[in-house]
Amino acid sequence: MSQAREQLASQAREQLTHWVCALPVLIVCVVVLADLAGGAGMIWLPLLAAGPALAATTNGPRGVLSTGLLAVVLGASLGTRDRVPGEELAAVLSALVTVTLASGLASVLRGRRERVLAAVRSVAETAQHALLKPVPATVGPFQVAVRYSAAAAEARIGGDLYALIPTPYGVRLIVGDVRGKGLPAVGTAALVLGVFREAAYDEPDLLAVVERIERSLARNLGADDFVTAVVAGYPGSGRLEMVNCGHAPPLLVRRSGGRLSVEPVEPAHPAPPLGLRALTGHAPGLQVLPFADGDQLLLYTDGVTEARDRGRAFYRLGEGLARHACEEPSRTLDALHAELLAHVGGRLHDDAALLLIRKPAVPVIAG
């Protein structure tokens, strides 16, 4: 379904691009028709310059020069037909040539900027795939879905982070939020994910994984920097281990007696954000909760819960999850993400990450 929507959207964008590229020629034609209908002579001829001027924003240099040449030829023909004095017609045609040349130069510069931007976006997309690696639809015993949106669409990546990997000690995952924005936040996110991926394979104890991340951040972060995060693991036997380091509580979805419940998993042992333990001296504790067949767990960052509408009302994630929860995590997050964007009017003002896992009653075989 999502691929079909993307194809339709791509076709619509291509059709719109064709119409936009043809718009400068249509404007020239409208000016010509207006002159032929009104016989107004010099009144309409200067408006022919709108064609090549607009072409600079929609076409390449060839399109601009072609539109300008068309405008000059038609302008000369109309001026001769309407018996415009030679000096006045020459001034109009000279202006059309000047506008065409200037528009052609502007089109060249615009093309260069677009190529640079495309290269930057390509690098950003590569960095995103290296930092936030795509998560498959099934990991271990879980169905999984992830949605990530950077506040700056051009950046593709930001300070929110997530990872979910199978290890010798069961599936382990992390969702976190780096304080700050921009490249420093991206660098910190990369550091956290790198340490997590290594420690998750090496350490049998989930608290030891968190300790490894804490020590690394203590060596590399500034005094005012920190990372809020939830680190979780599923060692098996229907139980989920969790360590919450100053992060928003995950939402646990369960169905009991035909009724769906969505409850926040408040930390039993509150701990400071990663990187701040030295200031508090408070070590995190391990929280264990049952996680049976059919249960779901949604982890997220504050870019979701702090998203506001025009009336400054926050998005109610728990209520949205209760409305849209189903047996397919990808469909659930598609609906949540669409509702979130509608709530904020189409654009988020902070990075936002959603990671949903579900333990099906029948094990899913990855295809």
Side-chain angles (χ1 to χ4, degrees):
M1 292 294 291
S2 59
Q3 292 182 349
R5 287 197 297 268
E6 290 179 0
Q7 291 178 352
L8 290 175
S10 177
Q11 293 175 357
R13 286 193 296 268
E14 290 180 0
Q15 292 178 355
L16 179 61
T17 300
H18 293 323
W19 278 106
V20 170
C21 290
L23 187 58
V25 175
L26 294 177
I27 289 178
V28 171
C29 293
V30 169
V31 174
V32 171
L33 291 176
D35 184 270
L36 292 175
M42 283 294 297
I43 296 178
W44 292 102
L45 292 185
L47 293 180
L48 290 171
L54 180 60
T57 65
T58 60
N59 292 262
R62 290 183 180 179
V64 174
L65 295 178
S66 298
T67 304
L69 179 61
L70 177 65
V72 170
V73 171
L74 292 177
S77 300
L78 292 175
T80 302
R81 170 186 175 275
D82 297 333
R83 298 180 180 179
V84 175
E87 294 182 356
E88 295 182 5
L89 181 58
V92 171
L93 296 180
S94 298
L96 284 176
V97 172
T98 303
V99 171
T100 299
L101 294 177
S103 300
L105 177 60
S107 178
V108 171
L109 297 177
R110 178 180 60 83
R112 290 180 179 177
R113 287 195 298 269
E114 288 179 350
R115 287 191 292 272
V116 170
L117 180 58
V120 170
R121 286 179 173 173
S122 177
V123 172
E125 187 170 350
T126 302
Q128 182 189 40
H129 283 291
L131 179 61
L132 302 176
K133 296 181 179 180
V135 175
T138 59
V139 179
F142 298 120
Q143 296 171 288
V144 184
V146 175
R147 296 294 180 274
Y148 179 84
S149 297
E154 298 82 359
R156 302 290 179 96
I157 53 178
D160 287 2
L161 58 97
Y162 64 83
L164 186 145
I165 54 177
T167 75
Y169 312 104
V171 175
R172 287 177 168 175
L173 59 99
I174 183 172
V175 170
D177 188 355
V178 179
R179 177 187 178 274
K181 299 181 183 297
L183 289 178
V186 174
T188 302
L191 174 64
V192 171
L193 290 173
V195 176
F196 168 77
R197 289 178 178 129
E198 181 180 357
Y201 275 94
D202 295 343
E203 302 291 347
D205 187 354
L206 192 66
L207 284 174
V209 176
V210 177
E211 180 64 28
R212 289 265 294 269
I213 300 173
E214 178 68 35
R215 290 200 304 267
S216 181
L217 290 179
R219 291 193 302 267
N220 293 281
L221 290 190
D224 297 330
D225 297 327
F226 59 86
V227 180
T228 67
V230 172
V231 182
Y234 185 80
S237 304
R239 62 190 180 92
L240 195 68
E241 299 176 342
M242 188 179 303
V243 181
N244 191 326
C245 299
H247 199 74
L251 297 177
L252 181 63
V253 182
R254 282 181 172 150
R255 190 174 295 277
S256 177
R259 296 184 60 185
L260 187 75
S261 66
V262 178
E263 298 293 338
V265 183
E266 299 291 347
H269 308 283
L274 296 167
L276 296 182
R277 187 187 304 179
L279 300 179
T280 64
H282 183 72
L286 189 67
Q287 185 174 1
V288 180
L289 62 148
F291 200 71
D293 292 345
D295 289 351
Q296 303 184 56
L297 186 72
L298 177 66
L299 299 96
Y300 54 93
T301 58
D302 59 11
V304 178
T305 53
E306 293 182 1
R308 298 172 183 253
D309 61 11
R310 293 182 178 179
R312 308 299 295 169
F314 291 109
Y315 176 66
R316 298 181 180 275
L317 179 59
E319 296 178 6
L321 182 57
R323 283 192 296 270
H324 301 298
C326 66
E327 295 183 355
E328 297 182 24
S330 60
R331 287 179 53 194
T332 301
L333 289 197
D334 281 343
L336 279 177
H337 192 256
E339 189 173 85
L340 176 64
L341 291 179
H343 180 81
V344 299
R347 181 170 181 177
L348 294 169
H349 298 287
D350 194 6
D351 303 329
L354 293 161
L355 188 153
L356 179 63
I357 62 173
R358 178 179 183 270
K359 189 171 185 297
V362 178
V364 178
I365 300 176

